[in-house]
Amino acid sequence: MRFKDEDKQERLKEAMVRLILEEGIDGTSVSKIAKAAGVSPATIYVYYESKEDMLTEVFREYSKKPYQYLMNQVNENMNAGELIEAIVRGCYDFSTEHADVFSFVEQCSRCPSVSEYVDEHECGCDIFDLIHTYQANGILKDYSDRNIGAVLFAPVRFLAMNRCEKYDNSNSLDELISMLKELLII
């Protein structure tokens, strides 16, 4: 019986993410992942049943990372404006500081056969619990989680994916934060 080695498993995940970003999901094979991670193809099956199992498990794990990052940026003592700003800036900062994870999650979330296994609300339940507290206290408008997620996260993702030198992203973020405060704060 072969034992699991956390270092090997991390190398496999990183290799898979890198290859998917370079070659796409269909262009990434078990043998390519193994070669990029410096292990034999059989080693992958110590950790995962198949490439699809690996992809789903890594996508599920990596989908939680942005929300875990955000939870380190916010707290229940912030006023509503500070909360919105921390969420927006935190989401944007995560996308730039962890570009590979961000891009991998974005790519997989657009693939129906993979995304059906991850519920974004479940990944960000702590953030949504905090938002619910603000809603219950009459500080934020009582919009549905689905719409809150759409207006808080989708625009930031758009700015992060479309950042380039010809636009001043700090002004865009400031403007977005202002718009979201008007939309969400009572």
Side-chain angles (χ1 to χ4, degrees), residues 51-103:
K51 173 186 140 185
E52 291 74 20
D53 177 53
M54 180 181 187
L55 179 60
T56 301
E57 189 174 315
V58 174
F59 176 53
R60 187 176 293 120
E61 176 187 335
Y62 281 27
S63 292
K64 294 177 183 177
K65 289 181 182 281
Y67 295 104
Q68 293 164 342
Y69 181 92
L70 285 179
M71 286 308 296
N72 291 322
Q73 313 300 313
V74 300
N75 66 66
E76 66 275 355
N77 297 321
M78 294 176 153
N79 67 41
E82 292 169 335
L83 177 70
I84 290 169
E85 184 165 354
I87 290 172
V88 170
R89 290 194 189 284
C91 188
Y92 188 85
D93 290 347
F94 180 86
S95 73
T96 57
E97 293 170 20
H98 306 280
D100 284 355
V101 172
F102 174 77
S103 297

